[in-house]
Amino acid sequence: MFERYLLCLFKQYCDARGLDINNMNNMYSNEFVDWIVQNKSLLGNYMDYLYALGFDYPADDILEIGKGEYDSISQNGINLVSIFARTLGKINSKLFVDRGIPLILKQNGIVIPREHIILTHNPYFESEILGWYSIHNFGEKDISIGMFGKLDDENTSRKIKLLEQLSKQMTDDYSFDYDTNDGNYFCSLNSKRSIKRRILTKTR
């Protein structure tokens, strides 16, 4: 399982650097290790960016999807649903979407998450998030999808375009943001209902 997780990270590395994923020598290079460390640092910057945009989600209301030891924010009290959760000492599980309803497949059955925010960032495969617009449109849960990296990455425009395409399938009450800083880019697609919900709760 850990090898499969590393292969997913390696795929991201090759996509960003424009390298041949079949050249496994690159997987054992210092450059790949450096990229993992750099990516983890950028993840922290991305979360700061998300908060700066006003999406300061309560940790216990976030469900992070599809991450592992080197690229997860779940160490901050956030629940994780991932086939790589075991790399963090947690139980593996998987998210799937049925007609706009997110469902968690666990060893003992299928459950609907209690969290309102379904969040991920830099997914390993585009197919992982293609149906997420339906979660937003159904209206029971909110989504938060982030893309970030170096401006000179080979796949920068492709990742941003993917979020743009998703946003066009969403109904209103969403935010699509893009900014750059120190040679890095940060792009985020978020439902905005959660912000309104918190404001209403505070004023009541």
Side-chain angles (χ1 to χ4, degrees):
M1 180 60 68
F2 190 76
E3 288 183 4
R4 185 179 171 190
Y5 172 56
L6 278 183
L7 278 172
C8 286
L9 293 176
F10 182 61
K11 174 189 177 296
Q12 287 190 315
Y13 167 67
C14 290
D15 287 346
R17 294 289 185 265
L19 300 173
D20 181 5
I21 194 171
N22 295 310
N23 185 352
M24 298 307 292
N25 289 330
N26 291 321
M27 192 171 182
Y28 304 100
S29 66
N30 289 332
E31 287 80 6
F32 178 43
V33 175
D34 290 343
W35 177 87
I36 290 176
V37 173
Q38 170 192 289
N39 198 56
K40 184 71 172 179
S41 176
L42 279 177
L43 173 56
N45 293 339
Y46 171 71
M47 294 309 295
D48 290 341
Y49 175 65
L50 202 57
Y51 299 147
L53 291 174
F55 298 104
D56 52 339
Y57 302 124
D60 61 359
D61 205 23
I62 299 175
L63 191 65
E64 184 186 31
I65 306 300
K67 294 299 169 180
E69 179 179 359
Y70 300 130
D71 60 348
S72 172
I73 58 171
S74 63
Q75 297 95 323
N76 301 321
I78 292 169
N79 284 328
L80 174 69
V81 167
S82 174
I83 60 172
F84 304 124
R86 198 172 297 160
T87 64
L88 284 157
K90 302 181 180 183
I91 298 173
N92 287 348
S93 55
K94 186 175 182 179
L95 180 94
F96 64 96
V97 182
D98 181 21
R99 289 167 291 185
I101 302 173
L103 300 167
I104 305 171
L105 178 62
K106 297 185 174 183
Q107 290 179 333
N108 57 349
I110 297 173
V111 299
I112 296 176
R114 62 172 179 77
E115 294 87 353
H116 287 102
I117 315 300
I118 312 299
L119 176 148
T120 196
H121 42 87
N122 284 350
Y124 308 130
F125 303 96
E126 293 181 2
S127 58
E128 295 176 48
I129 57 170
L130 288 181
W132 279 39
Y133 72 90
S134 65
I135 299 176
H136 170 88
N137 292 349
F138 189 73
E140 291 295 317
K141 306 290 183 181
D142 293 337
I143 65 170
S144 177
I145 308 173
M147 300 288 192
F148 55 86
K150 292 291 184 182
L151 277 169
D152 58 0
D153 284 348
E154 294 289 331
N155 59 348
T156 297
S157 59
R158 179 172 179 169
K159 288 165 65 178
I160 295 170
K161 187 175 181 180
L162 175 60
L163 280 195
E164 284 180 330
Q165 291 172 340
L166 277 175
S167 71
K168 291 176 182 176
Q169 298 178 79
M170 292 167 63
T171 53
D172 56 3
D173 278 348
Y174 72 86
S175 172
F176 179 79
D177 298 280
Y178 171 79
D179 285 284
T180 62
N181 184 52
D182 290 336
N184 306 312
Y185 73 91
F186 302 95
C187 189
S188 191
L189 176 62
N190 294 274
S191 304
K192 293 178 69 175
R193 288 186 298 257
S194 61
I195 293 180
K196 293 180 179 179
R197 187 185 302 126
R198 290 204 305 279
I199 291 173
L200 286 171
T201 301
K202 290 177 181 177
T203 55
R204 284 176 181 171

